Structure formats: C-alpha cells, structure tokens
Amino acid sequence: MDVTTDAGAPWLIVGLGNPGPGYAMNRHNVGFMVADLLAERIGGGFKRAGKAQAQVMEGRIGPPGPGSRRVILAKPMSYMNVSGGPVNALRDFYKVPVANIVAVHDELDIDYGVLRLKLGGGDNGHNGLKSMTKVMGSDYHRVRFGIGRPPGRMQVADFVLKDFSSVERKELDYFVDRAADAVECLVIEGLERAQSTYNS
C-alpha cells in the first residue's frame, strides 16, 4: 500500500455523514459540515458525481501558483455504513493514491471540538471508516473531530444520530472552521505540521 503522498496527484477530501435534511445537524454529520465549509471557501458548489453515488466539487486550495493543491471534495450519498463504495469509485476515477485521501469524521473517544489528525490506524467502531478500510485498506489520512461519549446510558447509535445540543452549537461553527483549517494545513503543509498545529 502506498503511504507516501504524491505532490502531483490530486487529494480526495471525504466528509463522512448521512444524506438528507433529517441528518443534517447530527453529530455523525460533522464531516459533511466541514466539507461544506471547504467548498464555500473554494467558492463553488457540490454536484452529483454520476455513478459514484456522491456529491463532489473540484478546486484548488492554498496560495496561487505551485504551492496550491488540486482537491476533490466529496460527500458520499450512500449511508454512512456503506461509504467505502462511493469513495473507492471516486479514488479510481480521479486516480488518487490512498495516502492522498482524507476522511473527516466524528470521533467518540475525543472530547467535543478537539481534533486529532493521523495516517492509518483502526476504525474504532466507526462504520464509515470500517467501510472505507474494507475496500481500500487503512492507509488514508483522518481528521478526527471529537464529539465525546454519550451521557448516562444513552446508546452510541442514538447519540451520534442526534443533533448537536444547544450548548454545543454555540461553539460548533468555530470548531468546524478549525477542522477545515486543519484539512487545508494537512494538504498544503503535510501531516507533521498539521498535527503539531491542530492536535490539541
């Protein structure tokens, strides 16, 4: 498996979530929120990606000139637990090395709003990552957005499919903005720099 990023190849940035307005503000959909903000920054909108069952947007991030990077933003329009199929189809279509793929996703074992960036590793029970790893291995980057653990005896599935609380929403825009910054830093400056800046 190629774990060396290719500076000349495009990057595929995948926001993980579930399609449809009923899921839009769920904790499980924070990956979609970050992808939407990145699209807004680039200055474009998502479009349906044919057979890939995803919404995509192409653009560049970084300073104008040789320092910029070509990126494909993607939101799989399958449900979370079968995200791997659409991501793999986009990887094949755009000829993206696995190490140039970034999955942005919610993470239960990290406190709310805290970020952790890494390359490879397990799925920690996250069905979107599990599906991606099943079809293309685990050697892709992750931007892990902490959502914390469910309170009391609430089931994990119920917790991730609930909207962010009113208290959480007061800081949500800030944390999503910071996660988008982290993705940009990862793509432009590399994992080590992004980790030292955003792994808090």
Side-chain angles (χ1 to χ4, degrees), residues 7-139:
W11 284 77
L12 176 58
I13 301 167
V14 181
L16 292 177
N18 285 307
Y23 296 100
M25 289 303 297
N26 286 182
R27 295 181 178 92
H28 224 18
N29 270 44
V30 73
F32 275 18
M33 297 174 198
V34 176
D36 285 337
L37 179 57
L38 287 166
E40 187 180 313
R41 289 181 179 184
I42 292 169
F46 284 93
K47 62 181 181 181
R48 196 79 183 198
K51 297 178 181 178
Q53 204 179 358
Q55 289 185 354
V56 298
M57 186 195 137
E58 298 179 57
R60 300 190 77 86
I61 61 175
S68 71
R69 297 285 183 269
R70 181 182 170 217
V71 297
I72 299 99
L73 302 177
K75 297 190 295 183
M77 291 289 108
S78 60
Y79 284 92
M80 178 71 85
N81 60 357
V82 286
S83 299
V87 175
N88 201 42
L90 293 171
R91 176 180 75 91
D92 287 344
F93 181 79
Y94 289 104
K95 298 178 171 53
V96 180
V98 171
N100 280 36
I101 296 173
V102 182
V104 185
H105 63 92
D106 57 303
E107 180 64 62
L108 285 159
D109 287 334
I110 302 174
D111 289 341
Y112 174 59
V114 173
L115 298 176
R116 291 281 188 276
L117 285 75
K118 69 174 186 174
L119 173 65
D123 56 57
N124 202 25
H126 192 287
N127 288 330
L129 299 182
K130 192 176 297 182
S131 179
M132 287 178 61
T133 296
K134 183 177 180 180
V135 296
M136 61 188 189
S138 63
D139 292 323

Side-chain angles (χ1 to χ4, degrees), residues 171-193:
E171 293 185 291
L172 182 60
D173 287 348
Y174 168 77
F175 288 139
V176 168
D177 191 72
R178 192 165 183 271
D181 290 346
V183 172
E184 291 180 344
C185 184
L186 168 61
V187 170
I188 297 164
E189 300 187 60
L191 178 61
E192 188 174 326
R193 177 63 181 270

